[in-house]
Amino acid sequence: MTALTLSTAGAATLRADALVVGVAKGPKGPIVAAGAEAVDKAYDGKLAGVLDALGASGAEGEITKLPAPAGLKVPVVLAVGLGSVPEKDESFDEEVLRRAAGAAARALHGTKKAAFALPLEDASAVTAVAEGALLGAYAFTAYQGGENKVRKEAKGAAPKAPLAEVALLGAKPRDKEHKAAIERAAVVAAEVNVARDLVNTPPNDLTPEAFAAVASAAAKENGIKVQVLDEKALLKGGYGGIMGVGKGSENLPRLVKLTYTHPKAEKTLAFVGKGITYDSGGISLKPAGHNETMKCDMAGAAAVFASVVAAAKLGLKVNVTGWLALAENMPSGSATKPGDVLRMYSGKTVEVLNTDAEGRLVLGDALTKASEDNPDAIVDVATLTGAMVLALGDRTFGIMSNDDAFRTSIHEIAEEVGESSWPMPLPAELRKTMDSPTADIANMGVRMGGGLVAGLFLQEFVGEGITWAHLDIAGPAFHEGAPHGYTPKGGTGSAVRTLVRLAERTATGDLG
């Protein structure tokens, strides 16, 4: 993990391998942002002109590297674009700062130490820059750069290591709010990166059993109670949804319960995560071209796991229970078939019309089990439907809920922490499209509005009177394009920051 410090040194005196400054897009060319005054002075007040001559405009995320002048103790200055200059008396948006810091950190892979002289007007800006830098410095290299055992002299090209140390300039190390800001940023970013690692891990290594082992080890390390139900316990307990999905694989399912409690907590949250460690579609096999990234189908469980650990590390005054519904969906002679009827943990029967609609089956069991504890609210997180990607694109997750106010609160929290989301409805008329002549409900309804149909299915398994929300992160959980801002290629850790902020708000009673 990249080291993070608040430095009392000035931009002109700190020794580092690179110095990051912000540049905004002004009406007549680039403008050097606050925090870089000493750097501009080292360029005789002409830094903006130099950047303009190099073609820099100040557009968001734009990176321009230039040699440092003699007055600085760094060899390189990296200018990162912040977009348009804010209106009078306004500050740069926190997400703009977060993305800029992330873009700069990505550009500095292979660098040991970088000083960040970006605008830090308050503790919120400190949090944003720190988070962005730590998230941008992420790299998944566990499977790269190894020795070739056939030709021992030939080794794979070692990838550049992430930026090793970030020093924030302009903050106040002795200020309680600033100190708390970087401590929180370090915890949250570390757990987002843990979720990213899990999503990026190949499915031959991250089986349900292996995921459960990772969760158990982290839980014990952080004072979190853990319970793991293996296939025998799941069969005995009547978890027909989880077992129905996972019984076609040699890697059998697990249901993991993580329990973080605080002695002064007055509220309890339950987070439920879909953890399909690999999704072939089962007997309803996915077509060619749709299998390659299906290791990411456990991103919801990764987000839930990371969020519970973050809550424990932050010592939040709220009880948080995490449920990881882990299974591998594979075709075999023992796999569930289209037309089979499963008896869920709740007692409801489900006619399986499509074995590739498996996430809702494992979540159904986990939601029922989570409801037994009667929490104040349940939030499930899942890469559930391609329909949600069609509706909202690949950077925005959908939010459905049985409580409009709760749905609005989660949407506002997500936007606050920089995770794009959008409220979605649960149209009652779509429920009847899941009616089955054979069972209590089918796992499929009409194709149009498929993401909403999935939400309605899940609602059937939430305990009566319990506030519930469903986050469909199918779009933003795994990024296949070029990295941008603090978002890497591959696993993103989507929803972790939203869940952590929800827990914080619940702990302080500041939830609308």
Side-chain angles (χ1 to χ4, degrees):
M1 181 70 180
T2 301
L4 175 66
T5 59
L6 292 178
S7 177
T8 57
T13 58
L14 181 70
R15 293 185 180 277
D17 299 298
L19 178 59
V20 177
V21 300
V23 54
K25 192 173 183 178
K28 297 182 179 180
I31 297 174
V32 179
E37 291 83 0
V39 181
D40 188 34
K41 184 177 180 181
Y43 283 94
D44 296 326
K46 298 177 180 178
L47 178 55
V50 173
L51 290 169
D52 190 30
L54 291 173
S57 66
E60 280 195 37
E62 179 185 70
I63 298 293
T64 307
K65 290 184 180 180
L66 56 162
L72 302 179
K73 297 186 181 299
V74 296
V76 174
V77 171
L78 185 150
V80 59
L82 299 172
S84 299
V85 177
E87 298 291 332
K88 188 178 181 181
D89 299 326
E90 292 188 6
S91 304
F92 283 103
D93 182 81
E94 291 171 25
E95 179 63 5
V96 168
L97 293 175
R98 192 180 287 111
R99 290 175 181 172
R106 281 194 302 103
L108 291 170
H109 271 27
T111 304
K112 290 184 178 180
K113 181 178 181 178
F116 281 61
L118 295 173
L120 299 178
E121 294 191 10
D122 53 25
S124 294
V126 172
T127 297
V129 172
E131 274 187 4
L134 294 176
L135 294 175
Y138 172 81
F140 184 70
T141 60
Y143 294 81
Q144 296 176 328
E147 183 177 6
N148 187 316
K149 292 183 179 180
V150 177
R151 297 182 61 192
K152 292 186 177 181
E153 75 281 2
K155 295 183 179 182
K160 288 184 178 180
L163 174 61
E165 182 180 350
V166 170
L168 298 191
L169 307 182
K172 303 171 184 176
R174 296 182 181 179
D175 184 291
K176 289 184 178 179
E177 289 188 355
H178 286 200
K179 184 178 180 181
I182 67 159
E183 289 175 351
R184 179 192 182 279
V187 168
V188 173
E191 295 312 312
V192 171
N193 288 339
V194 165
R196 289 172 169 181
D197 281 348
L198 286 167
V199 173
N200 288 329
T201 300
N204 57 318
D205 283 347
L206 192 73
T207 61
E209 183 179 10
F211 195 155
V214 170
S216 296
K220 292 173 183 176
E221 184 179 334
N222 291 283
I224 299 168
K225 291 182 180 179
V226 60
Q227 179 186 17
V228 179
L229 300 183
D230 63 12
E231 70 276 9
K232 293 179 181 178
L234 292 170
L235 279 170
K236 184 177 180 180
Y239 295 85
I242 296 175
M243 283 305 302
V245 172
K247 69 179 184 175
S249 172
E250 292 183 352
N251 300 306
L252 291 168
R254 297 289 185 271
L255 178 61
V256 180
K257 180 183 182 181
L258 304 169
T259 306
Y260 161 70
T261 58
H262 191 284
K264 295 183 179 179
E266 297 180 356
K267 298 284 187 179
T268 297
L269 293 174
F271 296 154
V272 178
K274 173 187 173 183
I276 304 300
T277 57
Y278 182 75
D279 183 19
S280 69
I283 297 296
S284 305
L285 195 66
K286 292 180 182 291
H290 290 74
N291 289 286
E292 290 78 4
T293 61
M294 281 299 103
K295 64 181 182 180
C296 79
D297 215 18
M298 36 57 65
V304 166
F305 162 58
S307 301
V308 177
V309 174
K313 286 183 174 180
L314 293 170
L316 303 183
K317 294 180 182 180
V318 59
N319 298 327
V320 183
T321 302
W323 296 88
L324 315 181
L326 309 176
E328 187 176 70
N329 187 22
M330 296 291 285
S332 73
S334 61
T336 292
K337 305 171 293 296
D340 282 357
V341 173
L342 305 177
R343 186 171 295 278
M344 305 288 283
Y345 178 74
S346 68
K348 284 182 182 289
T349 54
V350 177
E351 183 182 11
V352 178
L353 299 181
N354 186 335
T355 64
D356 196 22
E358 84 299 327
R360 63 199 71 182
L361 297 175
V362 300
L363 287 175
D365 277 352
L367 285 168
T368 300
K369 187 64 177 175
S371 296
E372 290 182 345
D373 294 338
N374 197 32
D376 293 285
I378 298 175
V379 179
D380 76 72
V381 188
T383 49
L384 204 60
T385 65
M388 196 56 58
V389 185
L390 292 174
L392 299 178
D394 58 11
R395 295 192 185 184
T396 302
F397 62 75
I399 309 171
M400 285 159 261
S401 179
N402 60 6
D403 184 297
D404 289 348
F406 189 54
R407 181 185 63 187
T408 298
S409 293
I410 293 178
H411 173 54
E412 291 174 348
I413 286 170
E415 296 298 306
E416 177 187 342
V417 300
E419 296 198 298
S420 181
S421 69
W422 197 251
M424 302 294 282
L426 289 170
E429 69 273 12
L430 293 180
R431 168 58 184 86
K432 64 182 179 182
T433 70
M434 291 184 286
D435 287 348
S436 165
T438 307
D440 295 324
I441 190 172
N443 77 328
M444 292 291 289
V446 291
R447 180 169 176 267
M448 299 302 174
L452 311 182
V453 170
L456 287 164
F457 181 93
L458 296 179
Q459 188 175 25
E460 295 277 323
F461 299 90
V462 177
E464 186 175 353
I466 297 176
T467 300
W468 157 79
H470 159 57
L471 312 186
D472 190 335
I473 62 170
F478 195 84
H479 180 58
E480 295 187 66
H484 59 87
Y486 53 82
T487 301
K489 188 179 180 68
T492 65
S494 178
V496 173
R497 289 180 288 148
T498 296
L499 294 180
V500 173
R501 184 56 59 86
L502 173 61
E504 289 173 327
R505 290 279 191 89
T506 303
T508 59
D510 188 27
L511 189 63

